[in-house]
Amino acid sequence: GTDGAAAGAVCGVEQVAGADFEEFGGIALMHWITGKLSDLVEINPSFKLVKGKEYPFVSMDVINPGKKIVEAKEYRNFSGGGARFQNNDTLFARITPCLENGKIAQVRNLDGGMGFGSTEFLVFRGKKGITDTEFVHYFVTNNSFRAKAIQLMVGTSGRQRVDHKKLSEEEFTIPSLSIQRKIAEILGSLDDKIEFNRRMNETLEQMAMALYKNWFEEGEQEVKFSEIIEINPAVHIKKGAPVPFVDMKALPTDSMSIQRKDIVIKPFTSGSKFMKNDILFARITPCLENGKTAFVDFLKDSETGFGSTEFLVFRAKHGCCPQFVYCLARDEQFRQYAIKSMVGTSGRQRVQIAAINEYLLAKPDPELMEKFDKVTKDWFEQIKSNVEEINELIKIRDYLL
């Protein structure tokens, strides 16, 4: 408990000693630390970035709820605004609905170790001698912390933000530094395995896309999209029947599978209807531009589901295969065609079914299609298996958290 005593000496936070010892991972747990959030962790830590210099930039849209790590995908010139952070800091969305959706991530692999991002991030970091930076990530990810932050939101409906000052004044109780490190080690090992599976899935998807491009992007003959793929195929669901439901926010931007926690059972009312091996394609801005697309691998044979009215549902016709349709839906050339075909008022533009049906692509060779189906089916099954393991690991991690 000496580290806890040191913490108290540094900032005057209160030490709470239990009457009895409790065992946690073989360590005697006795001392706890209670204090204001601003006394326990660094909030929006200050350090200098050079105006006009280019740095890694993290936007809100690249943070995926439930995924621990985020990396910068672009560089921007620093003009003086935005949240500033270093490697291993935690970015915490402070605005609705991003906070409610769980947009929280630890930033890694910043070129030069520093970067900046959206003004709608709060940045958290461990405070020397008091909190471990890895533990801080899990601490602010915890549902109870998020619930407190949500309670402290202020502003007009739809644009509410966490009151930074009020949150910093809230009191919290945390374990001693040695226990924090043990907690972070256990939860971190689970997240490492989750991240390993995710990266394996990324590799398998990249392999499928590379094979698709190599075998199908060129050909003497062309066919219309509608000749080999059906849009919004007829699916019968009885009104009021409880079936799996998927909202737009559940669609991934950079992978094929929807997280189990985002699939809920709801009475059917209206919306897009789909079955196993269909592809869900966001047709509205900015979801289409952000890449929201998913492979329906979470339903059983003959099971039905429904989702947002802003999904287009793609299904392979005879002579085609679902993996081909998914790769086509992810293909940049096809996506750019869909984006350019959008119509409607600014901010609410949608791609029309008629435009998609007219899209021309190289006519697939039947023998190559058969080979593609055979090879990629195993890869997609592996991805599904990895996702199921990820879901179980997330359940364990969140239970421990």
Side-chain angles (χ1 to χ4, degrees):
T2 54
D3 53 354
V10 171
C11 67
V13 293
E14 180 185 355
Q15 301 300 302
V16 181
D20 300 307
F21 285 91
E22 294 181 82
E23 288 293 319
F24 183 89
I27 300 174
L29 178 61
M30 181 177 175
H31 289 288
W32 293 72
I33 306 167
T34 296
K36 295 178 183 178
L37 182 65
S38 57
D39 290 332
L40 300 175
V41 305
E42 297 282 358
I43 308 173
N44 294 338
S46 178
F47 61 93
K48 188 175 181 181
L49 295 180
V50 180
K51 279 191 177 183
K53 185 177 177 180
E54 191 176 68
Y55 291 96
F57 183 86
V58 177
S59 57
M60 186 67 75
D61 64 284
V62 301
I63 293 187
N64 292 320
K67 186 176 180 181
K68 179 182 178 182
I69 304 301
V70 67
E71 297 180 2
K73 295 189 176 181
E74 59 178 307
Y75 288 79
R76 293 188 188 179
N77 287 328
F78 179 65
S79 61
R84 293 178 244 184
F85 40 78
Q86 297 178 342
N87 278 327
N88 300 317
D89 287 348
T90 292
L91 310 184
F92 185 94
R94 65 171 186 147
I95 192 169
T96 194
C98 301
L99 173 54
E100 293 91 333
N101 292 344
K103 280 185 171 278
I104 307 167
Q106 189 178 49
V107 66
R108 296 268 184 91
N109 301 321
L110 293 171
D111 187 12
M114 299 182 294
F116 73 109
S118 169
T119 56
E120 302 298 354
F121 289 138
L122 291 178
V123 180
F124 294 113
R125 182 189 302 167
K127 182 165 278 195
K128 189 174 181 180
I130 300 169
T131 42
D132 176 77
T133 290
E134 287 293 315
F135 171 82
V136 166
H137 170 77
Y138 292 111
F139 175 64
V140 302
T141 306
N142 187 291
N143 286 336
S144 61
F145 182 89
R146 286 173 54 201
K148 175 58 68 177
I150 290 168
Q151 286 177 9
L152 296 174
M153 289 180 124
V154 295
T156 57
S157 177
R159 298 300 293 175
Q160 291 184 309
R161 294 174 175 84
V162 175
D163 187 317
H164 169 206
K165 186 175 180 181
K166 286 185 178 179
L167 182 62
S168 69
E169 294 292 313
E170 286 289 319
E171 282 200 344
F172 294 91
T173 298
I174 60 173
S176 62
L177 193 53
S178 59
I179 300 300
Q180 293 174 35
R181 288 169 179 155
K182 189 65 177 177
I183 290 170
E185 180 185 347
I186 293 169
L187 297 177
S189 65
L190 291 169
D191 268 320
D192 287 346
K193 176 57 177 170
I194 290 168
E195 186 62 19
F196 176 80
N197 279 13
R198 281 192 171 125
R199 291 195 181 277
M200 184 189 296
N201 285 356
E202 287 175 6
T203 300
L204 290 169
E205 281 201 45
Q206 288 166 4
M207 289 164 58
M209 287 300 301
L211 202 60
Y212 164 84
K213 289 177 178 292
N214 189 41
W215 285 2
F216 300 113
E217 282 207 334
E218 294 183 9
E220 294 181 2
Q221 289 183 288
E222 290 184 325
V223 293
K224 289 183 179 180
F225 185 98
S226 59
E227 293 181 55
I228 60 173
I229 300 167
E230 187 177 5
I231 301 180
N232 293 346
V235 174
H236 176 70
I237 305 178
K238 187 178 178 181
K239 209 82 167 177
V243 293
F245 172 82
V246 174
D247 202 353
M248 180 64 77
K249 68 181 181 183
L251 251 65
T253 59
D254 58 357
S255 62
M256 61 176 265
S257 296
I258 295 169
Q259 292 187 44
R260 183 191 297 166
K261 69 180 180 63
D262 293 325
I263 303 165
V264 297
I265 304 299
K266 287 178 60 173
F268 173 69
T269 51
S270 63
S272 60
K273 296 175 282 187
F274 48 82
M275 300 183 72
K276 182 180 178 181
N277 295 331
D278 286 343
I279 283 76
L280 306 181
F281 184 85
R283 67 169 185 159
I284 192 169
T285 194
C287 303
L288 172 55
E289 293 92 331
N290 292 343
K292 282 184 168 286
T293 306
F295 189 92
V296 180
D297 57 3
F298 54 86
L299 295 178
K300 299 174 184 176
D301 293 339
S302 76
E303 189 178 16
T304 56
F306 77 111
S308 169
T309 55
E310 301 298 354
F311 294 156
L312 292 181
V313 180
F314 298 161
R315 182 178 298 173
K317 289 185 176 180
H318 180 71
C320 191
C321 72
Q323 303 91 274
F324 174 90
V325 179
Y326 175 78
C327 289
L328 173 60
R330 281 283 183 203
D331 182 66
E332 188 59 26
Q333 183 175 319
F334 172 74
R335 299 189 73 84
Q336 287 304 314
Y337 168 86
I339 290 167
K340 290 176 182 177
S341 302
M342 296 176 101
V343 297
T345 57
S346 177
R348 299 300 293 173
Q349 291 184 309
R350 296 173 177 84
V351 65
Q352 304 299 302
I353 293 175
I356 298 293
N357 275 332
E358 292 298 312
Y359 179 74
L360 293 173
L361 64 153
K363 186 176 182 179
D365 179 90
E367 288 187 11
L368 283 179
M369 181 66 76
E370 190 175 341
K371 285 183 181 179
F372 186 79
D373 184 24
K374 185 176 180 181
V375 172
T376 57
K377 186 178 287 183
D378 290 340
W379 295 346
F380 277 49
E381 283 297 320
Q382 183 62 57
I383 290 172
K384 180 182 177 182
S385 176
N386 288 344
V387 168
E388 289 173 350
E389 185 176 40
I390 286 171
N391 285 328
E392 289 304 314
L393 291 168
I394 288 173
K395 278 175 64 178
I396 295 169
R397 181 200 65 192
D398 290 352
Y399 174 78
L400 292 174
L401 187 60

